[in-house]
Amino acid sequence: MLIARVVGSAVSTIKAEQLRGLKLLIVRETTTDDELVGAPLVAIDGVGAGEGELVLVARGSAARQTPETADRPVDAIIMAILDSLEVDGAVSFRKS
Amino acid sequence: MLIARVVGSAVSTIKAEQLRGLKLLIVRETTTDDELVGAPLVAIDGVGAGEGELVLVARGSAARQTPETADRPVDAIIMAILDSLEVDGAVSFRKS
Amino acid sequence: MLIARVVGSAVSTIKAEQLRGLKLLIVRETTTDDELVGAPLVAIDGVGAGEGELVLVARGSAARQTPETADRPVDAIIMAILDSLEVDGAVSFRKS
Amino acid sequence: MLIARVVGSAVSTIKAEQLRGLKLLIVRETTTDDELVGAPLVAIDGVGAGEGELVLVARGSAARQTPETADRPVDAIIMAILDSLEVDGAVSFRKS
Amino acid sequence: MLIARVVGSAVSTIKAEQLRGLKLLIVRETTTDDELVGAPLVAIDGVGAGEGELVLVARGSAARQTPETADRPVDAIIMAILDSLEVDGAVSFRKS
């Protein structure tokens, strides 16, 4: 899964019927030190993530493995908000 | 999902039978400020998108999760037309 | 789907049983002006494409959505031969 | 499958219900000489891997092909701990 | 499918139960002139390929479309040994 930060949101009225009710958040991949490195992509918010939070994003058919997204034309979902990351024995990120 | 702009269209008469009736649009990934950054790829138009519009593109098996594309040999679909994008608290794109 | 040109073919006698009878073509991604940009990859020929033709290639599980490739260990199929591409209102490619 | 080294772990309390009980490890792709080359990604620990170990990571829907991860929104799993790698006839890595 | 050369093998004793009996080979992507260009990845040997041979590798869920790999946590399989490659009308590779 991708380590990413929520950097914003997207609004769309003209969309596939199956997307109604799904929140669209913009995320960007980060390092384990919470540094932005990736291009923006849009993921379905599966856990009530807020702007600025470090999250895990599952992509591909994994994005359809929740009750809210089953059988929907989506390929990325935020499925966890990160409390902390530990690398080489040291905490590299801790949710403030 | 990919943030992308519709930049054109593709026409094909010799194609897999299952593609009949599906509109082929050319899209390119953009930044959240609507700047083109990606290579062109072809996606099925799932929502009646027009040239120049900023859209969301779902890829992989997600592209087959609509009635029109179920079980068809397609791996990318336009599933939303974007009204606006908000990044770091500011609107970075609004549909004119 | 990838815009690509057929640049050659591959022959294999020792292969998974399920590949018998499937034609293996070498394709490379191109720009919308038919300029080669991508690394070579091998795709199943689903529409009788010829060398030099500009085609659409679907990848991943999409490659198994035709009667000939269902349940076979393949991840790329040529599913359309392109007649023309139009970008920013102008024809960028037309099949000769 | 990706050759990767376990470099750390991730903790998350607010997550998709289906992730409860799954251990989240941070891995980075390596060369066959155990040199780190890839960006960090998070994978489900399927085999009890420890920090510093060289492992194999399967991605995409493959990550859901174990009893613990079936139907869960995950796209990467550690499915083997490597004992050794042999390249061009010489051992390039052996587990200490 | 990826054109790749078998460059070695991987050994693992601690692994997902479903991997027992599957041979793990290290492959690297090549050009159509058999020049190594890709990073090493591990694929299941589906056809008895040997070190140095040029092969085709199918990735993603395609890797599970053979009797030996169905429902296993694997995302890459060697499904053909290449006899020859022909590009722009000339043979660019022939198995010695």
Side-chain angles (χ1 to χ4, degrees):
Chain A
M1 284 68 76
L2 206 68
I3 300 169
R5 193 193 306 162
V6 178
V7 296
S9 58
V11 173
S12 167
T13 14
I14 303 172
K15 57 193 171 188
E17 259 319 297
Q18 302 117 304
L19 296 187
R20 300 248 164 260
L22 296 178
K23 197 173 166 193
L24 303 169
L25 292 181
I26 303 172
V27 295
R28 285 184 60 191
E29 184 177 6
T30 68
T31 65
T32 48
D33 304 316
D34 193 3
E35 252 179 70
L36 290 174
V37 288
L41 63 101
V42 171
I44 302 297
D45 179 13
V47 285
E51 203 152 316
E53 291 197 298
L54 212 61
V55 295
L56 286 186
V57 177
R59 289 174 295 172
S61 51
R64 298 198 298 281
Q65 306 301 317
T66 74
E68 299 77 18
T69 56
D71 306 323
R72 313 225 183 176
V74 297
D75 64 12
I77 190 167
I78 296 169
M79 26 68 87
I81 297 172
L82 288 168
D83 299 335
S84 64
L85 295 174
E86 182 255 289
V87 175
D88 298 336
V91 174
S92 67
F93 164 77
R94 190 182 296 284
K95 187 174 166 180
S96 48
Chain B
M1 283 69 76
L2 205 67
I3 300 170
R5 192 193 308 164
V6 179
V7 297
S9 59
V11 173
S12 166
T13 15
I14 303 172
K15 57 193 171 186
E17 260 317 298
Q18 304 116 303
L19 296 188
R20 299 253 162 256
L22 296 177
K23 196 173 168 194
L24 303 170
L25 292 180
I26 303 171
V27 296
R28 286 184 59 192
E29 184 177 6
T30 69
T31 64
T32 48
D33 304 315
D34 193 3
E35 253 180 73
L36 291 175
V37 289
L41 62 99
V42 171
I44 302 297
D45 179 14
V47 288
E51 202 152 315
E53 291 199 296
L54 212 61
V55 294
L56 287 186
V57 177
R59 290 173 295 173
S61 52
R64 298 198 297 283
Q65 307 301 318
T66 73
E68 299 77 18
T69 56
D71 306 324
R72 312 224 181 175
V74 296
D75 65 12
I77 190 168
I78 297 170
M79 27 68 84
I81 297 172
L82 287 168
D83 298 334
S84 64
L85 295 174
E86 182 256 288
V87 174
D88 298 336
V91 174
S92 68
F93 164 77
R94 189 181 298 284
K95 188 174 165 182
S96 47
Chain C
M1 284 68 79
L2 205 66
I3 300 170
R5 193 192 311 163
V6 178
V7 297
S9 59
V11 173
S12 167
T13 16
I14 304 172
K15 56 193 170 186
E17 260 319 297
Q18 305 116 303
L19 297 188
R20 301 255 161 252
L22 296 176
K23 195 172 167 196
L24 303 169
L25 293 180
I26 303 171
V27 296
R28 287 183 59 191
E29 184 177 6
T30 69
T31 65
T32 48
D33 303 316
D34 193 3
E35 253 180 76
L36 291 174
V37 288
L41 63 100
V42 171
I44 302 297
D45 179 14
V47 286
E51 201 152 317
E53 292 199 294
L54 212 61
V55 295
L56 287 184
V57 177
R59 288 173 295 173
S61 52
R64 299 197 299 281
Q65 307 301 317
T66 73
E68 299 77 18
T69 56
D71 307 324
R72 314 226 181 173
V74 296
D75 65 13
I77 190 167
I78 297 170
M79 26 70 84
I81 298 173
L82 288 168
D83 298 333
S84 64
L85 295 173
E86 182 256 289
V87 175
D88 299 333
V91 174
S92 68
F93 164 77
R94 189 182 297 285
K95 187 175 167 180
S96 47
Chain D
M1 284 67 78
L2 205 68
I3 300 169
R5 193 192 311 162
V6 178
V7 296
S9 58
V11 173
S12 166
T13 14
I14 303 172
K15 56 194 171 188
E17 259 319 297
Q18 302 117 304
L19 296 187
R20 299 249 165 260
L22 296 178
K23 197 172 164 193
L24 303 169
L25 293 181
I26 303 173
V27 295
R28 286 184 58 192
E29 184 176 7
T30 68
T31 65
T32 47
D33 304 316
D34 193 3
E35 251 179 73
L36 291 174
V37 288
L41 64 100
V42 171
I44 303 298
D45 179 13
V47 285
E51 202 152 314
E53 291 198 297
L54 211 62
V55 295
L56 286 185
V57 177
R59 289 174 295 173
S61 52
R64 298 196 298 281
Q65 305 301 318
T66 74
E68 300 76 19
T69 55
D71 306 323
R72 311 219 184 182
V74 296
D75 65 12
I77 190 167
I78 297 170
M79 25 70 87
I81 298 172
L82 288 168
D83 299 333
S84 64
L85 295 174
E86 182 256 293
V87 174
D88 298 335
V91 173
S92 67
F93 164 77
R94 190 181 297 284
K95 188 174 163 180
S96 48
Chain E
M1 284 67 78
L2 206 67
I3 299 170
R5 193 193 310 164
V6 178
V7 297
S9 58
V11 173
S12 167
T13 17
I14 303 171
K15 56 195 172 188
E17 259 320 298
Q18 303 118 304
L19 297 187
R20 300 253 163 256
L22 296 177
K23 196 172 165 195
L24 303 170
L25 293 180
I26 303 172
V27 296
R28 286 184 58 192
E29 184 177 6
T30 68
T31 64
T32 47
D33 303 317
D34 193 3
E35 250 182 77
L36 292 174
V37 289
L41 63 101
V42 171
I44 302 298
D45 179 14
V47 286
E51 201 151 317
E53 292 199 294
L54 211 61
V55 295
L56 287 185
V57 178
R59 289 174 295 175
S61 52
R64 299 196 298 282
Q65 305 302 318
T66 74
E68 300 76 19
T69 56
D71 306 323
R72 311 223 183 176
V74 296
D75 64 14
I77 189 168
I78 297 171
M79 26 69 87
I81 298 173
L82 288 167
D83 298 334
S84 65
L85 296 173
E86 182 256 288
V87 175
D88 299 336
V91 173
S92 69
F93 163 77
R94 189 181 298 282
K95 187 175 166 180
S96 49

